[in-house]
Amino acid sequence: MSTIVFTNFPVKDVKASTEFYEKLGFKKNEDFSNEHSSSMVWDDTFWIMVLDYEFYGLFLKDKEIADTKTKSGSLTAFSVESPDVVREIAEAAKANGGDYFTVDMGIPEDKMFSLEVLDLDGNQFEPVWMEMP
């Protein structure tokens, strides 16, 4: 059995976030979605779960939800097949109310390329392409 990674993001508007991620190329899995959450599938091994604050809070016990517009709660990277796909995801995010930026890691683009993508709530993730030996 392969491991599946589920990244959970707190969001203020599940419907708007679902539409945002669909525009980036994710597909909604209706079997694991309801009015409080959407299961957004990239591929067989990587999913982003967008959960409204009330539902997300159930998993935190005594912790507060971070304001991801001003603080980082996590940074999830996932591999894609080319630098062009990295750019397509980032541009789709920006065109639909999110944003992206570049971090210069000193690695040539023909070896590795990524962009930092922000969703509607400031949750951050990183599509990344790497030349595999």
Side-chain angles (χ1 to χ4, degrees), residues 23-24 36 40 51 58 72 88 95 109-110 122 126 130:
K23 290 173 182 170
L24 272 59
H36 299 289
M40 306 307 298
L51 302 104
L58 296 175
S72 176
E88 288 168 12
E109 185 177 316
D110 64 342
E126 181 182 58
M130 295 182 294

Side-chain angles (χ1 to χ4, degrees), residues 81-115:
E81 55 272 12
S82 71
D84 288 337
V85 172
V86 172
R87 286 184 193 89
E88 288 168 12
I89 293 168
E91 289 297 333
K94 190 167 190 165
N96 290 285
D99 205 358
Y100 71 90
F101 62 94
T102 304
V103 174
D104 183 2
M105 296 181 286
I107 300 171
E109 185 177 316
D110 64 342
K111 297 293 181 198
M112 181 175 152
F113 180 71
S114 64
L115 293 168

Side-chain angles (χ1 to χ4, degrees), residues 67-86:
D67 176 359
T68 52
K69 295 262 186 189
T70 61
K71 295 177 178 53
S72 176
S74 69
L75 176 55
T76 301
F78 66 103
S79 62
V80 297
E81 55 272 12
S82 71
D84 288 337
V85 172
V86 172

